[in-house]
Coordinates of all heavy atoms in Angstrom, one line a residue:
M1231 N 99.3 108.3 91.1 CA 99.8 108.9 92.3 C 101.2 108.2 92.5 O 101.2 107.0 92.6 CB 98.9 108.7 93.4 CG 99.4 109.1 94.8 SD 98.1 110.1 95.5 CE 99.1 111.4 96.4
N1232 N 102.3 108.9 92.7 CA 103.5 108.4 92.8 C 104.0 108.3 94.2 O 105.1 107.6 94.5 CB 104.5 109.2 91.9 CG 104.2 108.9 90.5 OD1 103.7 107.9 90.1 ND2 104.6 109.8 89.6
D1233 N 103.5 108.9 95.2 CA 104.0 108.9 96.5 C 103.6 107.6 97.2 O 102.5 107.0 96.9 CB 103.6 110.2 97.3 CG 102.0 110.2 97.7 OD1 101.3 109.6 96.9 OD2 101.6 110.7 98.7
F1234 N 104.3 107.2 98.2 CA 104.2 105.9 99.0 C 103.2 106.1 100.1 O 103.6 107.1 100.9 CB 105.4 105.2 99.3 CG 105.2 104.0 100.1 CD1 104.9 102.8 99.5 CD2 105.2 104.0 101.5 CE1 104.8 101.6 100.1 CE2 105.0 102.8 102.2 CZ 104.8 101.5 101.6
R1235 N 102.1 105.6 100.3 CA 101.3 105.7 101.5 C 101.0 104.5 102.1 O 100.7 103.4 101.5 CB 100.0 106.4 101.1 CG 100.1 107.7 100.5 CD 98.7 108.5 100.3 NE 98.9 109.7 99.7 CZ 97.9 110.6 99.7 NH1 96.9 110.4 100.5 NH2 98.1 111.8 99.2
H1236 N 101.1 104.4 103.4 CA 100.8 103.1 104.2 C 99.8 103.7 105.2 O 100.2 104.4 106.2 CB 101.9 102.4 104.8 CG 101.6 101.4 105.7 ND1 101.2 100.1 105.3 CD2 101.7 101.3 107.0 CE1 101.1 99.4 106.2 NE2 101.2 100.1 107.3
I1237 N 98.6 103.2 105.3 CA 97.6 103.6 106.2 C 97.2 102.4 107.2 O 96.7 101.5 106.7 CB 96.4 104.2 105.5 CG1 96.7 105.0 104.4 CG2 95.3 104.7 106.3 CD1 97.2 106.4 104.8
P1238 N 97.6 102.6 108.4 CA 97.3 101.4 109.3 C 95.8 101.4 109.7 O 95.2 102.6 109.9 CB 98.2 101.7 110.6 CG 98.4 103.0 110.5 CD 98.4 103.5 109.0
V1239 N 95.2 100.3 110.0 CA 93.9 100.2 110.4 C 93.8 99.6 111.8 O 94.3 98.3 111.7 CB 92.9 99.4 109.3 CG1 91.5 99.4 109.9 CG2 93.0 100.1 108.1
K1240 N 93.3 100.1 112.8 CA 93.4 99.5 114.1 C 92.2 98.5 114.2 O 91.1 98.6 113.8 CB 93.1 100.6 115.1 CG 94.3 101.5 115.2 CD 94.2 102.6 116.3 CE 95.3 103.6 116.2 NZ 95.1 104.6 117.0
G1241 N 92.6 97.4 114.9 CA 91.6 96.3 115.2 C 91.9 95.7 116.5 O 92.6 96.3 117.3
K1242 N 91.2 94.6 116.9 CA 91.4 93.9 118.1 C 92.4 92.9 118.2 O 92.8 92.5 119.3 CB 90.0 93.4 118.4 CG 88.9 94.3 118.7 CD 87.6 93.7 119.0 CE 86.6 94.7 119.1 NZ 85.2 94.2 119.3
G1243 N 93.1 92.5 117.1 CA 93.9 91.4 117.1 C 95.4 91.8 117.2 O 95.7 92.8 117.5
T1244 N 96.2 90.7 116.8 CA 97.6 91.0 116.9 C 98.5 90.8 115.5 O 99.5 91.0 115.7 CB 98.1 90.1 118.0 OG1 97.9 88.7 117.6 CG2 97.7 90.3 119.3
K1245 N 97.7 90.3 114.6 CA 98.3 90.2 113.3 C 98.1 91.3 112.4 O 97.1 91.8 112.3 CB 98.0 88.9 112.6 CG 98.7 88.6 111.5 CD 98.5 87.2 110.8 CE 99.3 87.2 109.6 NZ 99.9 86.0 109.3
I1246 N 99.1 91.7 111.6 CA 98.9 92.8 110.8 C 99.0 92.3 109.3 O 100.0 91.5 109.0 CB 100.2 93.8 110.9 CG1 100.2 94.5 112.4 CG2 100.0 94.8 109.9 CD1 101.3 95.4 112.7
Y1247 N 98.0 92.5 108.6 CA 97.9 92.3 107.2 C 98.2 93.6 106.3 O 97.6 94.5 106.7 CB 96.6 91.6 106.8 CG 96.2 90.4 107.6 CD1 95.5 90.5 108.8 CD2 96.6 89.1 107.1 CE1 95.2 89.3 109.5 CE2 96.3 88.0 107.8 CZ 95.5 88.1 108.9 OH 95.4 86.8 109.7
V1248 N 99.0 93.4 105.4 CA 99.3 94.7 104.6 C 98.8 94.3 103.1 O 99.1 93.2 102.5 CB 100.7 95.1 104.6 CG1 100.9 96.3 103.8 CG2 101.1 95.3 106.0
F1249 N 98.0 95.1 102.5 CA 97.5 95.0 101.2 C 97.9 96.2 100.3 O 97.8 97.4 100.6 CB 96.0 94.8 101.2 CG 95.6 93.6 102.0 CD1 95.1 93.9 103.3 CD2 95.7 92.3 101.6 CE1 94.6 92.8 104.2 CE2 95.3 91.2 102.5 CZ 94.8 91.6 103.7
K1250 N 98.0 95.8 98.9 CA 98.1 96.8 98.0 C 96.6 97.5 97.7 O 95.7 96.6 97.6 CB 98.6 96.1 96.7 CG 98.5 97.1 95.5 CD 99.0 96.3 94.3 CE 98.8 97.0 93.0 NZ 99.4 96.1 91.7
V1251 N 96.6 98.8 97.5 CA 95.4 99.4 97.2 C 95.5 100.1 95.9 O 96.4 100.7 95.7 CB 94.9 100.4 98.4 CG1 93.7 101.2 97.9 CG2 94.9 99.7 99.8
M1252 N 94.4 99.9 95.2 CA 94.4 100.7 93.7 C 93.3 101.7 93.9 O 92.2 101.3 94.3 CB 94.0 99.8 92.7 CG 95.0 98.5 92.5 SD 96.8 99.0 92.1 CE 96.3 99.7 90.4
I1253 N 93.7 103.0 93.6 CA 92.6 104.0 93.8 C 92.8 104.8 92.4 O 93.9 105.2 92.0 CB 92.8 105.0 94.9 CG1 92.7 104.2 96.2 CG2 91.7 106.2 94.9 CD1 92.9 105.1 97.4
S1254 N 91.7 105.0 91.7 CA 91.6 105.7 90.4 C 90.4 106.6 90.1 O 89.4 106.0 90.7 CB 92.0 104.7 89.2 OG 91.0 103.7 89.2
P1255 N 90.5 107.6 89.5 CA 89.2 108.2 89.0 C 88.5 107.3 88.2 O 89.0 106.6 87.4 CB 89.7 109.6 88.3 CG 91.2 109.3 88.2 CD 91.7 108.1 88.9
D1256 N 87.1 107.5 88.3 CA 86.2 106.6 87.6 C 85.5 107.3 86.3 O 84.7 106.8 85.5 CB 85.2 105.9 88.4 CG 84.1 106.9 88.8 OD1 84.2 108.1 88.5 OD2 83.1 106.3 89.4
G1257 N 86.0 108.5 86.1 CA 85.4 109.4 84.9 C 84.1 110.0 85.3 O 83.4 110.7 84.4
K1258 N 83.6 109.9 86.6 CA 82.3 110.4 86.9 C 82.5 111.3 88.1 O 81.7 111.4 89.0 CB 81.2 109.3 87.2 CG 80.9 108.5 86.1 CD 80.0 107.4 86.5 CE 79.8 106.5 85.3 NZ 78.9 105.4 85.7
D1259 N 83.6 112.0 88.3 CA 83.9 112.9 89.5 C 84.1 112.0 90.6 O 83.6 112.6 91.8 CB 82.9 114.0 89.6 CG 83.1 114.9 88.4 OD1 84.2 115.1 87.7 OD2 82.0 115.6 88.0
R1260 N 84.4 110.8 90.5 CA 84.5 110.0 91.7 C 85.8 109.2 91.7 O 86.4 109.1 90.6 CB 83.3 109.0 91.9 CG 82.0 109.6 92.1 CD 80.9 108.6 92.2 NE 80.7 108.0 91.0 CZ 79.7 107.2 90.8 NH1 78.8 107.0 91.6 NH2 79.7 106.5 89.6
Y1261 N 86.3 108.5 92.9 CA 87.4 107.7 92.9 C 86.9 106.3 93.2 O 86.3 106.1 94.1 CB 88.5 108.2 93.7 CG 89.1 109.4 93.3 CD1 88.6 110.8 93.4 CD2 90.3 109.5 92.6 CE1 89.2 111.8 93.0 CE2 90.9 110.5 92.1 CZ 90.3 111.8 92.2 OH 90.9 112.8 91.7
Y1262 N 87.4 105.3 92.5 CA 87.1 103.9 92.7 C 88.4 103.3 93.5 O 89.6 103.5 93.0 CB 86.9 103.2 91.4 CG 86.7 101.6 91.4 CD1 85.5 101.2 92.0 CD2 87.8 100.8 91.2 CE1 85.3 99.8 92.1 CE2 87.6 99.5 91.3 CZ 86.4 98.9 91.8 OH 86.2 97.6 91.9
A1263 N 88.0 102.5 94.5 CA 89.2 102.0 95.3 C 89.0 100.4 95.5 O 87.9 100.1 95.6 CB 89.3 102.6 96.7
E1264 N 89.9 99.7 95.3 CA 89.9 98.3 95.6 C 91.2 97.7 96.1 O 92.2 98.2 95.9 CB 89.5 97.5 94.3 CG 90.7 97.5 93.2 CD 90.2 96.6 92.0 OE1 89.7 95.5 92.2 OE2 90.5 97.2 90.9
V1265 N 90.9 96.6 96.7 CA 92.2 95.8 97.3 C 92.1 94.4 96.4 O 91.4 93.6 96.6 CB 92.0 95.4 98.7 CG1 93.1 94.6 99.2 CG2 91.9 96.7 99.6
P1266 N 93.1 94.5 95.3 CA 93.0 93.2 94.5 C 93.3 92.0 95.0 O 92.6 91.0 94.5 CB 94.2 93.6 93.4 CG 94.4 95.2 93.5 CD 94.0 95.4 95.0
A1267 N 93.9 91.9 96.1 CA 94.1 90.4 96.9 C 92.8 90.0 97.5 O 92.8 88.8 98.0 CB 95.3 90.6 97.9
L1268 N 91.8 90.9 97.8 CA 90.6 90.5 98.5 C 89.5 90.5 97.6 O 89.0 91.6 97.4 CB 90.5 91.4 99.7 CG 91.6 91.6 100.6 CD1 91.3 92.5 101.8 CD2 92.1 90.2 101.1
P1269 N 89.0 89.4 97.1 CA 87.9 89.3 96.2 C 86.7 90.1 96.7 O 86.2 89.8 97.8 CB 87.7 88.0 95.8 CG 88.9 87.3 96.2 CD 89.5 88.1 97.4
G1270 N 86.1 91.1 95.9 CA 84.9 91.8 96.4 C 85.1 92.9 97.4 O 84.2 93.6 97.8
C1271 N 86.5 93.3 97.6 CA 86.7 94.4 98.5 C 86.9 95.6 97.8 O 88.2 95.7 97.2 CB 87.9 93.9 99.3 SG 88.2 95.2 100.8
Y1272 N 86.0 96.5 97.6 CA 86.1 97.8 96.9 C 85.2 98.7 97.4 O 84.3 98.4 98.2 CB 85.8 97.4 95.5 CG 84.4 96.9 95.1 CD1 83.3 97.7 95.1 CD2 84.2 95.5 95.0 CE1 82.0 97.2 94.8 CE2 83.0 95.0 94.9 CZ 81.9 95.9 94.6 OH 80.6 95.3 94.6
S1273 N 85.4 100.0 97.1 CA 84.6 101.1 97.7 C 84.8 102.3 96.8 O 85.6 102.2 95.6 CB 85.0 101.6 99.0 OG 84.0 102.4 99.6
W1274 N 84.4 103.4 97.1 CA 84.5 104.7 96.3 C 84.4 105.8 97.1 O 84.0 105.8 98.3 CB 83.5 104.7 95.0 CG 82.1 104.9 95.5 CD1 81.2 103.9 95.9 CD2 81.5 106.2 95.6 NE1 80.1 104.6 96.3 CE2 80.2 105.9 96.2 CE3 81.8 107.4 95.4 CZ2 79.2 106.9 96.3 CZ3 80.9 108.4 95.6 CH2 79.6 108.1 96.1
G1275 N 84.7 107.0 96.5 CA 84.6 108.4 97.2 C 84.5 109.5 96.2 O 85.0 109.3 95.1
Y1276 N 84.1 110.5 96.6 CA 84.2 111.8 95.7 C 85.6 112.4 95.6 O 85.9 113.0 94.6 CB 83.2 112.8 96.2 CG 81.8 112.4 96.0 CD1 80.9 112.1 97.0 CD2 81.3 112.4 94.6 CE1 79.6 111.6 96.8 CE2 80.0 112.0 94.4 CZ 79.1 111.6 95.5 OH 77.7 111.3 95.3
T1277 N 86.4 112.1 96.6 CA 87.8 112.5 96.6 C 88.7 111.2 96.8 O 88.2 110.3 97.3 CB 88.1 113.5 97.6 OG1 88.0 112.8 98.9 CG2 87.2 114.7 97.6
F1278 N 90.0 111.5 96.4 CA 90.9 110.2 96.7 C 91.0 110.0 98.2 O 90.9 108.9 98.5 CB 92.4 110.9 96.2 CG 93.5 109.8 96.5 CD1 93.9 109.0 95.4 CD2 94.1 109.7 97.6 CE1 94.8 108.0 95.6 CE2 95.1 108.7 97.8 CZ 95.5 107.9 96.9
E1279 N 90.9 111.1 99.0 CA 91.0 110.8 100.5 C 89.7 110.1 101.0 O 89.8 109.2 102.0 CB 91.3 112.1 101.3 CG 92.7 112.7 100.9 CD 92.7 113.4 99.6 OE1 91.8 113.7 99.0 OE2 94.0 113.8 99.3
E1280 N 88.6 110.3 100.6 CA 87.4 109.8 100.9 C 87.4 108.4 100.4 O 87.1 107.5 101.2 CB 86.2 110.5 100.3 CG 84.9 109.9 100.8 CD 83.7 110.6 100.2 OE1 83.8 111.4 99.1 OE2 82.6 110.5 100.9
A1281 N 87.9 108.1 99.1 CA 88.0 106.6 98.7 C 88.9 105.8 99.6 O 88.7 104.8 99.9 CB 88.3 106.7 97.2
L1282 N 90.0 106.4 100.0 CA 91.0 105.8 100.7 C 90.3 105.5 102.2 O 90.5 104.4 102.8 CB 92.2 106.6 101.1 CG 93.3 106.1 101.8 CD1 93.8 104.7 101.2 CD2 94.5 107.0 101.9
K1283 N 89.7 106.4 102.7 CA 89.0 106.2 104.0 C 88.0 105.1 103.9 O 87.9 104.2 104.8 CB 88.3 107.5 104.5 CG 87.5 107.4 105.8 CD 86.7 108.6 106.0 CE 85.7 108.5 107.2 NZ 84.4 107.8 106.8
N1284 N 87.2 105.1 102.9 CA 86.2 104.1 102.7 C 86.8 102.7 102.4 O 86.1 101.6 103.0 CB 85.2 104.4 101.5 CG 84.4 105.7 101.9 OD1 84.3 106.1 103.0 ND2 83.9 106.3 100.8
I1285 N 87.9 102.6 101.7 CA 88.4 101.3 101.4 C 89.0 100.7 102.6 O 89.1 99.5 102.9 CB 89.3 101.3 100.2 CG1 89.7 99.8 99.7 CG2 90.7 102.0 100.5 CD1 88.5 99.0 99.1
K1286 N 89.5 101.6 103.4 CA 90.1 101.2 104.8 C 89.0 100.5 105.5 O 89.3 99.4 106.2 CB 90.6 102.3 105.6 CG 91.2 102.1 106.9 CD 92.0 103.2 107.5 CE 91.2 104.5 107.7 NZ 91.9 105.6 108.5
E1287 N 87.8 101.1 105.6 CA 86.7 100.5 106.4 C 86.3 99.2 105.8 O 86.0 98.3 106.4 CB 85.5 101.5 106.4 CG 85.8 102.8 107.4 CD 84.6 103.7 107.2 OE1 83.6 103.4 106.5 OE2 84.8 104.8 107.7
A1288 N 86.2 99.1 104.5 CA 85.8 97.9 103.8 C 86.8 96.8 104.0 O 86.3 95.6 104.1 CB 85.7 98.3 102.2
T1289 N 88.1 97.2 104.0 CA 89.1 96.1 104.2 C 89.0 95.5 105.6 O 89.1 94.4 105.8 CB 90.5 96.7 103.9 OG1 90.6 97.2 102.5 CG2 91.6 95.7 104.1
Q1290 N 88.9 96.4 106.6 CA 88.8 96.0 107.9 C 87.5 94.9 108.1 O 87.7 93.9 108.6 CB 88.6 97.2 109.0 CG 88.6 96.8 110.4 CD 90.0 96.2 110.9 OE1 90.9 97.0 110.7 NE2 90.1 95.3 111.6
L1291 N 86.4 95.3 107.5 CA 85.2 94.6 107.6 C 85.5 93.1 106.9 O 85.0 92.1 107.4 CB 84.1 95.1 107.1 CG 83.5 96.3 108.0 CD1 82.4 97.2 107.2 CD2 82.9 95.9 109.3
W1292 N 86.2 93.3 105.7 CA 86.4 92.0 104.9 C 87.3 91.1 105.7 O 86.9 89.9 105.8 CB 87.2 92.4 103.7 CG 87.2 91.3 102.5 CD1 86.3 91.3 101.5 CD2 88.1 90.3 102.5 NE1 86.7 90.2 100.6 CE2 87.7 89.5 101.3 CE3 89.1 89.7 103.3 CZ2 88.3 88.5 100.9 CZ3 89.6 88.6 102.9 CH2 89.3 88.0 101.7
V1293 N 88.4 91.5 106.4 CA 89.2 90.7 107.1 C 88.6 90.2 108.3 O 88.6 88.9 108.7 CB 90.5 91.4 107.5 CG1 91.4 90.7 108.5 CG2 91.3 91.8 106.3
E1294 N 87.8 90.9 109.0 CA 87.1 90.6 110.4 C 86.0 89.5 109.9 O 86.0 88.5 110.6 CB 86.5 91.8 111.0 CG 87.4 92.7 111.7 CD 86.7 93.8 112.2 OE1 85.5 94.0 112.1 OE2 87.4 94.7 112.8
T1295 N 85.3 89.6 108.8 CA 84.3 88.7 108.4 C 85.2 87.3 108.1 O 84.5 86.4 108.5 CB 83.6 89.3 107.2 OG1 82.9 90.4 107.6 CG2 82.4 88.2 106.8
M1296 N 86.1 87.4 107.4 CA 86.8 86.1 107.0 C 87.4 85.4 108.2 O 87.2 84.3 108.4 CB 87.9 86.5 105.9 CG 87.4 86.9 104.7 SD 86.4 85.8 103.8 CE 87.5 84.7 103.2
I1297 N 87.9 86.2 109.1 CA 88.3 85.6 110.4 C 87.3 84.9 111.2 O 87.3 83.8 111.6 CB 89.1 86.5 111.3 CG1 90.4 86.9 110.6 CG2 89.4 86.1 112.7 CD1 91.2 88.1 111.1
E1298 N 86.1 85.6 111.3 CA 85.0 85.1 111.9 C 84.4 83.8 111.5 O 84.0 83.0 112.2 CB 83.9 86.1 112.2 CG 84.0 87.2 113.1 CD 83.0 88.4 112.9 OE1 82.0 88.2 112.2 OE2 83.3 89.4 113.6
N1299 N 84.5 83.8 110.1 CA 84.1 82.6 109.3 C 85.1 81.4 109.2 O 84.9 80.4 108.6 CB 83.6 83.0 107.8 CG 82.3 83.9 108.0 OD1 81.5 83.8 108.9 ND2 82.1 84.6 106.9
G1300 N 86.3 81.7 109.8 CA 87.3 80.7 109.8 C 88.0 80.6 108.6 O 88.7 79.6 108.2
E1301 N 87.8 81.6 107.6 CA 88.5 81.5 106.3 C 90.0 82.1 106.5 O 90.3 82.8 107.4 CB 87.7 82.5 105.5 CG 86.3 82.1 105.3 CD 86.1 81.0 104.3 OE1 86.9 80.7 103.4 OE2 85.0 80.4 104.4
S1302 N 90.8 81.7 105.5 CA 92.2 82.2 105.5 C 92.3 83.5 104.8 O 91.4 83.9 103.9 CB 93.1 81.3 104.8 OG 92.8 81.2 103.5
I1303 N 93.2 84.4 105.2 CA 93.4 85.7 104.7 C 94.5 85.7 103.6 O 95.6 85.3 104.1 CB 93.7 86.8 105.8 CG1 92.6 86.8 106.9 CG2 93.7 88.2 105.2 CD1 91.1 86.9 106.4
P1304 N 94.3 86.2 102.3 CA 95.5 86.2 101.5 C 96.6 87.2 102.0 O 96.3 88.1 102.6 CB 94.8 86.6 100.2 CG 93.3 86.7 100.5 CD 93.1 86.7 101.9
E1305 N 97.8 86.8 101.7 CA 98.8 87.7 102.2 C 99.6 88.1 100.9 O 99.9 87.2 100.0 CB 99.8 87.0 103.1 CG 99.2 86.8 104.5 CD 100.1 86.4 105.5 OE1 101.2 86.9 105.5 OE2 99.7 85.6 106.4
E1306 N 99.8 89.5 100.7 CA 100.5 90.0 99.6 C 102.0 89.6 99.6 O 102.7 89.6 100.7 CB 100.4 91.5 99.7 CG 99.0 92.0 99.4 CD 98.6 92.3 98.0 OE1 99.2 91.6 97.1 OE2 97.6 92.9 97.9
K1307 N 102.5 89.5 98.4 CA 104.1 89.3 98.4 C 104.7 90.6 98.6 O 104.2 91.6 98.2 CB 104.4 88.8 96.9 CG 103.7 87.5 96.6 CD 104.1 87.1 95.1 CE 103.5 85.6 94.9 NZ 103.8 85.3 93.4
Q1308 N 105.9 90.5 99.2 CA 106.6 91.6 99.6 C 107.0 92.4 98.4 O 107.0 93.7 98.4 CB 107.9 91.2 100.4 CG 107.7 90.9 101.6 CD 107.1 91.9 102.6 OE1 107.4 93.1 102.6 NE2 105.9 91.5 103.3
E1309 N 107.3 91.8 97.3 CA 107.6 92.7 96.0 C 106.4 93.4 95.5 O 106.6 94.6 95.1 CB 108.0 91.6 94.9 CG 108.4 92.2 93.7 CD 108.9 91.2 92.5 OE1 109.6 90.2 92.8 OE2 108.6 91.5 91.5
T1310 N 105.1 92.8 95.7 CA 104.0 93.6 95.2 C 103.8 94.7 96.1 O 103.5 95.8 95.6 CB 102.8 92.6 95.4 OG1 102.9 91.6 94.6 CG2 101.4 93.4 95.0
L1311 N 104.1 94.7 97.5 CA 103.9 95.7 98.4 C 104.9 96.8 98.2 O 104.7 98.0 98.2 CB 103.9 95.2 99.8 CG 102.8 94.4 100.2 CD1 103.1 93.8 101.7 CD2 101.5 94.9 100.2
R1312 N 106.2 96.4 97.7 CA 107.3 97.4 97.6 C 106.9 98.3 96.3 O 107.2 99.4 96.3 CB 108.6 96.7 97.4 CG 109.3 96.3 98.7 CD 110.6 96.0 98.5 NE 111.0 94.8 97.7 CZ 110.9 93.6 98.0 NH1 110.7 93.3 99.4 NH2 111.1 92.6 97.3
K1313 N 106.2 97.7 95.3 CA 106.0 98.5 94.0 C 104.7 99.3 94.2 O 104.3 99.9 93.3 CB 106.0 97.4 92.8 CG 107.2 96.8 92.6 CD 107.1 95.9 91.5 CE 108.5 95.3 91.2 NZ 108.3 94.3 90.0
A1314 N 103.8 99.0 95.2 CA 102.5 99.6 95.3 C 102.7 101.0 95.8 O 103.3 101.4 96.8 CB 101.7 98.9 96.2
P1315 N 101.9 101.9 95.0 CA 102.0 103.4 95.5 C 101.1 103.7 96.7 O 101.4 104.5 97.5 CB 101.3 104.0 94.2 CG 100.5 103.1 93.4 CD 101.2 101.8 93.7
V1316 N 100.2 102.7 96.9 CA 99.4 102.8 98.1 C 99.2 101.4 98.8 O 99.0 100.5 98.1 CB 98.0 103.4 97.9 CG1 97.2 103.5 99.1 CG2 98.0 104.8 97.3
T1317 N 99.5 101.4 100.1 CA 99.2 100.2 100.8 C 98.3 100.5 102.1 O 98.1 101.6 102.5 CB 100.5 99.5 101.3 OG1 101.2 100.3 102.2 CG2 101.4 99.1 100.2
L1318 N 97.7 99.4 102.5 CA 96.8 99.5 103.7 C 97.0 98.4 104.7 O 97.2 97.2 104.3 CB 95.4 99.4 103.1 CG 94.2 99.5 104.1 CD1 93.9 101.0 104.4 CD2 93.0 98.9 103.5
G1319 N 97.3 98.8 105.9 CA 97.6 97.8 106.9 C 96.3 97.5 107.8 O 95.6 98.4 108.2
V1320 N 96.1 96.3 108.1 CA 95.0 95.9 109.0 C 95.4 95.1 110.1 O 96.0 94.1 109.8 CB 93.8 95.1 108.1 CG1 92.8 94.6 109.0 CG2 93.3 95.9 106.9
V1321 N 95.1 95.4 111.3 CA 95.3 94.6 112.5 C 94.1 93.8 112.7 O 93.1 94.2 112.9 CB 95.6 95.5 113.7 CG1 96.1 94.7 114.8 CG2 96.8 96.4 113.3
A1322 N 94.3 92.5 112.8 CA 93.1 91.6 113.0 C 93.4 90.4 114.0 O 94.8 90.2 114.0 CB 92.5 91.2 111.8

C-alpha cells in the first residue's frame, strides 16, 4: 500500500506516541498487522481495515500496560515514520 495513513488512538494521557505499522496479506485470506517497535504487538483481520482496527486496539493496550508497569515506551525515529506507509498514534 503506497498511501500514507495516520490513525490516532484516543487515551487518557497527554503524550502521543507514533509507531510504524506493517500490514500484509498472510496468504490465507487474512491480513497480518504488527508494530515492529513494540515486541509482541501484533494482530490480524480478514480485511486491511479490520487488521488496522485490531492493531490499533493492540497498540493501545500494549502502551497502557507498559505505562502501568513503569516500563519505558520505545519511540520511533522520525526518518522511520516519514518512510512508513502506515503509522499509528497512541495517546497515553
Side-chain angles (χ1 to χ4, degrees):
M1231 175 137 220
N1232 292 338
D1233 67 331
F1234 180 81
R1235 296 185 184 207
H1236 174 77
I1237 310 296
V1239 180
K1240 295 181 182 177
K1242 297 179 181 177
T1244 58
K1245 180 162 178 147
I1246 298 174
Y1247 300 91
V1248 181
F1249 302 103
K1250 172 184 172 181
V1251 177
M1252 302 294 295
I1253 301 177
S1254 58
D1256 72 356
K1258 299 178 184 177
D1259 296 329
R1260 297 180 295 193
Y1261 288 82
Y1262 175 78
E1264 70 174 311
V1265 177
L1268 308 179
C1271 188
Y1272 57 87
S1273 192
W1274 68 277
Y1276 288 109
T1277 65
F1278 181 94
E1279 291 76 15
E1280 183 180 24
L1282 184 60
K1283 176 184 172 280
N1284 293 341
I1285 195 64
K1286 178 170 62 171
E1287 292 173 3
T1289 302
Q1290 185 70 46
L1291 289 171
W1292 196 102
V1293 169
E1294 287 174 0
T1295 300
M1296 295 300 282
I1297 289 171
E1298 288 174 8
N1299 292 336
E1301 304 277 340
S1302 62
I1303 308 300
E1305 295 196 33
E1306 295 271 15
K1307 295 179 182 177
Q1308 289 300 314
E1309 182 176 326
T1310 299
L1311 295 174
R1312 280 192 297 273
K1313 293 180 180 179
V1316 181
T1317 61
L1318 180 79
V1320 176
V1321 178

